[in-house]
Amino acid sequence: MNEILNVHVVYGGKSAEHEVSLKTALNVLNRMDKRKYNVYPVYITRHGIWRMLPRLDHALASTAELETEAGPADGNAAASMGNWLTRRLAENGPHLVFPVIHGTCGEDGTLQGMLELADVPYVGNGVLASAAGMDKVMMKRIFTGAGIPQVEYEQLLRHEWEQRETACCDALERTIGYPCYVKPANLGSSIGIRRCADRDELLLAIGHAFRYDRKIIIEKEAAGREVQLAVLGNDRPICSVAGEFAREPGFFDYYKKYEAGNLVQRIPAQLAGSLREQLREYALQAYRLLDGSGLMRIDFFVTDQGEIYLNEVNTLPGFTPISMFPALWEKTDGTTYAELIDKLIGLALERHEQKRKIRYGREDV
């Protein structure tokens, strides 16, 4: 008889997207079948301290039940992490980690690297795909090399800005112009992003973005709809139908996404057949270029003239009540939330088993 799988849902973290991670964790924990898995919530505080919660056997009412303050016995971040590795993961039975940390220190390959070293299977993308997909500049450079259309962009490093502020503005006005968007290179959920229509707004936006990262990206505005597709799989990925949020024009900021409470999903998005197929081809191409595994949400701009621009990829998309990724699969093939979780766990185990076949020592011929 097979042993029941211990699933450790890791959430929170040192990220500006901490609160979004809690919402995702609440949904994942509540929808996970407790008859199939031993489910263990693992909370990482805003200061990076790992906190182990008891095995979950009931539904949670709110995200407040997922947060717990660190105590003196937890020590520092390294000690608390080591405590989790040596106590919880050393217990008998098979283990798997389900990361639902959005943003830095969870979605950017850092957590994935630690789990690779610990030889623990985990849901989602590996180190390379996570790191490259999180860094908007690196992501765009990879896609540019493959000929995937994107809006014009420039990167800016903090030390360049501090030394040549006026010259940087002059150069950006020549190459990108207005309106434009200023974004931290390594963040999501529209945090740290501002739209600029003139130099005064550009100066404020750059200063704001550098609060979240040492590298930022400035992009030319693409006037059009934002359309999203979901990709699922390992070596043979499949793509969902396209979806979009029916909303008023303008910047889709954090408040509109998570707090306004008036988002309406439109699935499938209203697109001509040729556009639907081209979006699907670009989404699968982007997934393979990053060597994706498990899941990825890929976002595009589609103009009124039918032009397509790949905006960004999300290597750990949200699973909140208004998140697009699970909704896209439900509308594509009827996959329920619980079934989607099962598929992701299965893909994680499949990828881990593939890695275990790799030989790391020298073999004499």
Side-chain angles (χ1 to χ4, degrees), residues 67-86:
E67 296 183 89
T68 174
E69 292 299 321
D74 294 302
N76 56 25
S80 65
M81 188 187 308
N83 189 37
W84 174 69
L85 287 168
T86 56

Side-chain angles (χ1 to χ4, degrees), residues 181-198:
Y181 283 89
V182 176
K183 307 176 181 180
N186 292 275
L187 204 57
S189 298
S190 298
I191 296 172
I193 301 177
R194 291 189 177 181
R195 181 181 185 273
C196 310
D198 55 40

Side-chain angles (χ1 to χ4, degrees), residues 90-135:
E91 294 175 353
N92 291 331
H95 297 272
L96 175 138
V97 172
F98 198 130
V100 293
I101 297 179
H102 303 301
T104 51
C105 300
E107 192 179 351
D108 56 2
T110 52
L111 175 60
Q112 290 75 14
M114 185 196 77
L115 295 173
E116 292 282 355
L117 289 172
D119 194 28
V120 178
Y122 57 91
V123 167
N125 290 278
V127 177
L128 175 63
S130 298
M134 187 72 193
D135 189 312

Side-chain angles (χ1 to χ4, degrees), residues 219-282:
E219 299 175 348
K220 183 183 289 290
E221 182 178 63
R225 300 150 59 191
E226 186 171 358
V227 177
Q228 304 178 354
L229 290 89
V231 180
L232 188 69
N234 290 332
D235 295 328
R236 293 176 294 277
I238 56 175
C239 189
S240 74
V241 298
E244 63 183 326
F245 287 108
R247 55 186 177 86
E248 71 278 8
F251 175 41
F252 198 28
D253 62 14
Y254 183 93
Y255 173 79
K256 291 177 182 177
K257 282 185 178 180
Y258 299 108
E259 296 179 4
N262 57 359
L263 289 179
V264 177
Q265 293 173 339
R266 183 183 291 144
I267 308 173
Q270 297 173 4
L271 298 164
S274 58
L275 282 176
R276 290 198 301 269
E277 184 57 30
Q278 185 65 75
L279 286 166
R280 179 181 175 277
E281 290 179 8
Y282 281 144

Side-chain angles (χ1 to χ4, degrees), residues 54-214:
R55 183 167 69 88
L56 189 67
D57 58 5
H58 62 279
L60 299 170
S62 72
T63 57
E65 296 181 67
L66 294 174
E67 296 183 89
T68 174
E69 292 299 321
D74 294 302
N76 56 25
S80 65
M81 188 187 308
N83 189 37
W84 174 69
L85 287 168
T86 56
R87 282 185 52 201
R88 186 61 58 79
L89 291 188
E91 294 175 353
N92 291 331
H95 297 272
L96 175 138
V97 172
F98 198 130
V100 293
I101 297 179
H102 303 301
T104 51
C105 300
E107 192 179 351
D108 56 2
T110 52
L111 175 60
Q112 290 75 14
M114 185 196 77
L115 295 173
E116 292 282 355
L117 289 172
D119 194 28
V120 178
Y122 57 91
V123 167
N125 290 278
V127 177
L128 175 63
S130 298
M134 187 72 193
D135 189 312
K136 294 179 176 63
V137 175
M138 295 306 299
M139 173 201 72
K140 287 180 177 294
R141 287 176 177 170
I142 292 170
F143 295 155
T144 297
I148 298 177
Q150 301 167 90
V151 298
E152 295 179 53
Y153 70 94
E154 294 285 350
Q155 78 159 17
L156 185 60
L157 301 177
R158 183 184 285 117
H159 79 89
E160 296 172 336
W161 177 249
E162 291 172 346
Q163 294 171 7
R164 303 183 301 111
E165 180 177 309
T166 301
C168 288
C169 282
D170 292 341
L172 290 171
E173 289 175 340
R174 287 194 304 270
T175 58
I176 303 300
Y178 302 109
C180 66
Y181 283 89
V182 176
K183 307 176 181 180
N186 292 275
L187 204 57
S189 298
S190 298
I191 296 172
I193 301 177
R194 291 189 177 181
R195 181 181 185 273
C196 310
D198 55 40
R199 181 169 288 209
D200 287 341
E201 291 182 349
L202 181 65
L203 290 168
L204 290 173
I206 289 175
H208 180 66
F210 274 133
R211 294 172 58 189
Y212 297 98
D213 202 347
R214 57 171 287 276

Side-chain angles (χ1 to χ4, degrees), residues 342-359:
D342 289 342
K343 287 183 179 182
L344 291 171
I345 289 174
L347 289 167
L349 294 173
E350 175 188 272
R351 177 54 63 94
H352 187 68
E353 186 59 32
Q354 289 177 342
K355 291 179 180 178
R356 292 177 69 89
K357 296 177 182 178
I358 297 172
R359 184 180 295 275

